[in-house]
Amino acid sequence: MILTGSKIKEEVKKGNITIGPFSVEQVNPNSYNYRLGSVLKVFDKFDGNKSVFREISIPEEGYVLEPRKMYLATTKEIIGSSKYAMSLIGRSSMGRYGLFLQCSANLGHTTSKHRWTLEIVATMPIRLYPEMIIGQVSFWKNYGAVKKYSGQYGFLNHPQESFAPDKQENYDSNRK
Amino acid sequence: MILTGNKIIEEVESGKIEITPFDKSRITTNSYDLSLGETIIRYKTEIIDPKVETPYEEIKIPSDGMVLNLGDFVLGHSNERIGSDFYVPMIHGKSGTARMGLFVHVTADLIDIGSHGVTTFQLYATLPVRLHVGMLISQVSFWVPFGDIVLYKGKYQNSTGPKPSMTYKDFKYDIFKKD
């Protein structure tokens, strides 16, 4: 079951959902509108093993994204829940501009709590402004006992590129 | 919880789900298939700026179809009017559409409860693809909400065709305002 806006407000009050800063105006009928942070990581080069990014502050007059190239950013808000699973997506007003906010990795684990890293891809050149409302997060009831999140990203508050190791030997144990 | 196809039929009949026109043969196990309408919107600008209205052109898909090239982004719409005051709709591509490399939304699959109208497709082609009016391009699923319902009253309500983004006239709050 997906939480309604009223339920999201209730659970923020009870502390079962964290959204900080929280603004009632950003509550939708079944999601919460989050803002873009003010830091962007721009792809610089591929070093043969992994992508290297350089970090910039998004200026007040905005920053134009080039199409078909991924940028990393974060939500302005710290978002998490001890009780619900989350799905973080774009908002329809940005989808209508052809802006992807993540690369098919929308699922947020119960008990993670942080500024989410966004994987932003523009299909057309678009100007983004710091702290603009850019996407939505929805909250979902769990079925089954919750195991505490033990991943490596769910507590980070800065745009974080992949930690995936770049050497084959690191994956050998996954082979049958 | 997600509704089954049988439950979607029941709720269309009881009036709790709106799908117009409705054709039972388009019900799948967990969704309903949506067809592509004839109007396409293409933005006419070098750089999109969400603070200002973006110029666009409206195109009718001709009878022999319309080709999207790799990298093209346009807006389309469903022929069907959809919505519910009781369930949360979610838009998906059909696997047949996805296998052509075509996105039908750009990470914006969630529809607000209480939103009614034809849905706008965010069409992004990763390979060349020919669009035809009436092709079954997308599917909508319905999900059970948890908590008191407050219905959608937003700016895209009662859309009758593709609706370009209206960030420039967000009246509810200033989306660019800093706290």
Side-chain angles (χ1 to χ4, degrees), chain A residues 165-174:
Chain A
D166 53 13
K167 291 192 177 66
Q168 179 59 51
E169 63 193 52
N170 290 305
Y171 297 103
D172 284 347
S173 62
N174 297 337

Side-chain angles (χ1 to χ4, degrees), chain A residues 2 4 33 76 90 93 96-97, chain B residues 43 107 146 156 165 167 173:
Chain A
I2 179 169
T4 62
N33 275 348
K76 178 192 174 183
S93 288
R96 288 167 206 255
Y97 287 135
Chain B
Y43 291 113
T107 59
F146 173 51
Y156 302 110
S165 181
T167 45
Y173 44 71

Side-chain angles (χ1 to χ4, degrees), chain B residues 77-109:
Chain B
H77 69 100
S78 64
N79 279 315
E80 300 76 15
R81 204 182 130 87
I82 57 170
S84 175
D85 294 352
F86 301 88
Y87 300 104
V88 176
M90 205 181 272
I91 295 291
H92 318 262
K94 276 179 69 68
S95 113
T97 311
R99 286 162 212 248
M100 297 187 287
L102 182 66
F103 284 85
V104 299
H105 71 78
V106 175
T107 59
D109 55 355

